[in-house]
Amino acid sequence: MTNTADRAALPEPGRRGEAGRQAPAQALFRRLVVLNGLVFTIGTLVLALSPATVSSRVRLAEIPVLTVGLALILTVNALLLRASLAPLDALTALMRRVDLLRGGDRLADSGNGDLADLIATFNAMLDRLEAERSASSAHALAAQEGERQRIARELHDEIGQSLTVVLLGLKRAVDRAPDELRDELHAVQETLRSSLDDVGRVARRLRPDVLEDLGLLSAMNALATEFSQISGVPVVRRAKPDLPPLSAEKELVIYRIAQESLTNVARHARAGRVELSLRPEPGTVVLRVADNGLGEVSPEGAGIRGMRERALLIGARLSITAVPGTGTEVRLTVPADGPTPSTAERKRG
């Protein structure tokens, strides 16, 4: 049940907002009334001051005059109403196509003062939703990276070390085993060694230590090499060493989006070649992953939406272009950071 304080806080019909402005519906209603009154008033004055007259019983010759006058009044009224309500069509179209993962789509004020407050309010709502989505994505991605690092540590420190101990014990057993068992034990040893390599590879994918230790370019080269070894698809690398400074967060986003793009190529593209490029452009760094595969356009899954969320998190632009029978291109444009003390120190060093 609403108490007195709650009722006092609720907006009343016709009450002005905090800035003293009327509600959009009331303002539009007043303007329509004024427009219609103005059109009909002008039409009445024109008929009253013009030489045209109408008898008490309308003659046939006067019917065309009345018809033309009525048509002019309705035409002018329709044009004025159409100009006043035109922004509603653009606003409806924006509501249908808006996507928080593709930010920046706003409705420009066309100079029509009737719906300016409504347009500004809707744009402000989109700004607020995008900011909230970006903040929630940042928390979710940070939690995801933390969980990846925890799992990678457990794989390396616990499972990896346990498998290493078993492998060493198995080697001693092979050395003491009779000849008829050595071949079988060697097969088990190779399987165990392969499993240990798989664990290390999974741990590296979860936590790219090479990105922290050797930098973005080395991490991208390692990623391309690992992809080629697993999938058998050659990767053409086009990277320039003179990249502008990037924060650790942006480097991680570039690495993860390249990783996800290559994963999608291996799973869906059936490509015979992949091009991986990372080059500087004025004020930005551009990542491009292009394949010559099927180029099928399919609904975006969790992987691509995760890529868009990461790009949105650092203010980057992500575009995915698929041409059937030609291939798919993933393009990420990341704004560069300004020079930082650590960057200058690295250059001096």
Side-chain angles (χ1 to χ4, degrees):
M1 184 173 181
T2 307
N3 56 27
T4 306
D6 293 334
R7 287 197 299 270
L10 295 174
E12 296 178 0
R15 176 179 291 184
R16 292 176 178 266
E18 295 180 357
R21 294 175 298 183
Q22 292 181 339
Q26 186 178 12
L28 183 59
F29 171 76
R30 289 179 179 273
R31 181 174 175 84
L32 293 178
V33 170
V34 171
L35 285 177
N36 283 284
L38 184 62
V39 168
F40 290 121
T41 300
I42 293 176
T44 302
L45 290 176
V46 169
L47 292 177
L49 299 178
S50 68
T53 59
V54 179
S55 303
S56 58
R57 297 185 66 178
V58 180
R59 301 174 184 176
L60 292 177
E62 295 171 344
I63 292 179
V65 177
L66 295 176
T67 303
V68 172
L70 179 60
L72 288 175
I73 291 175
L74 293 178
T75 301
V76 173
N77 186 58
L79 291 176
L80 292 175
L81 289 178
R82 182 177 181 181
S84 297
L85 300 178
L88 289 179
D89 293 333
L91 188 61
T92 302
L94 177 60
M95 289 178 180
R96 289 173 178 169
R97 71 173 183 268
V98 69
D99 186 351
L100 296 181
L101 293 180
R102 298 175 176 88
D105 198 358
R106 298 292 183 271
L107 185 63
D109 187 2
S110 59
N112 188 330
D114 307 325
L115 300 174
D117 185 69
L118 179 62
I119 293 173
T121 302
F122 184 75
N123 289 338
M125 180 192 69
L126 289 182
D127 292 338
R128 185 172 64 254
L129 290 176
E130 287 184 2
E132 293 175 355
R133 178 61 182 265
S134 179
S136 61
S137 297
H139 291 306
L141 292 176
Q144 185 184 74
E145 288 297 330
E147 186 68 11
R148 285 177 179 232
Q149 292 183 6
R150 184 188 66 80
I151 296 174
R153 283 195 301 268
E154 291 183 357
L155 286 175
H156 182 272
D157 297 341
E158 297 182 13
I159 299 179
Q161 291 183 3
S162 298
L163 290 177
T164 301
V165 172
V166 173
L167 187 62
L168 294 176
L170 184 60
K171 183 179 182 301
R172 290 193 296 268
V174 169
D175 295 337
R176 297 194 301 267
D179 295 338
E180 60 270 15
L181 293 179
R182 285 189 178 181
D183 290 339
E184 295 182 8
L185 291 177
H186 273 302
V188 175
Q189 189 177 19
E190 291 302 319
T191 302
L192 186 58
R193 183 177 288 107
S194 177
S195 299
L196 185 59
D197 293 338
D198 290 340
V199 170
R201 183 166 55 252
V202 171
R204 287 192 300 272
R205 288 179 61 85
L206 290 173
R207 186 181 62 182
D209 291 334
V210 65
L211 181 62
E212 300 178 1
D213 299 337
L214 301 179
L216 180 60
L217 292 179
S218 298
M220 299 294 284
N221 288 331
L223 182 64
T225 301
E226 182 181 2
F227 170 81
S228 296
Q229 292 174 349
I230 296 176
S231 65
V233 179
V235 178
V236 179
R237 308 171 196 178
R238 305 183 189 276
K240 294 186 177 181
D242 54 341
L243 296 177
L246 294 171
S247 64
E249 184 181 39
K250 291 182 178 179
E251 289 186 348
L252 181 59
V253 169
I254 292 174
Y255 180 85
R256 290 300 188 195
I257 289 181
Q259 186 181 50
E260 182 65 27
S261 300
L262 292 176
T263 300
N264 289 337
V265 171
R267 289 177 178 175
H268 311 295
R270 299 181 187 175
R273 183 179 62 87
V274 179
E275 180 179 337
L276 176 63
S277 67
L278 188 66
R279 67 179 188 275
E281 290 189 358
T284 62
V285 174
V286 178
L287 168 70
R288 180 175 176 269
V289 182
D291 65 75
N292 62 347
L294 300 177
E296 294 181 348
V297 180
S298 58
E300 295 186 357
I304 294 181
R305 294 189 68 85
M307 291 164 60
R308 294 196 183 281
E309 288 181 351
R310 289 181 182 277
L312 188 63
L313 180 62
I314 60 172
R317 297 192 308 273
L318 177 69
S319 63
I320 301 175
T321 306
V323 180
T326 301
T328 304
E329 178 188 85
V330 177
R331 185 182 182 90
L332 177 70
T333 304
V334 181
D337 295 329
T340 59
S342 59
T343 303
E345 290 174 2
R346 287 200 300 269
K347 288 183 177 180
R348 287 196 298 269

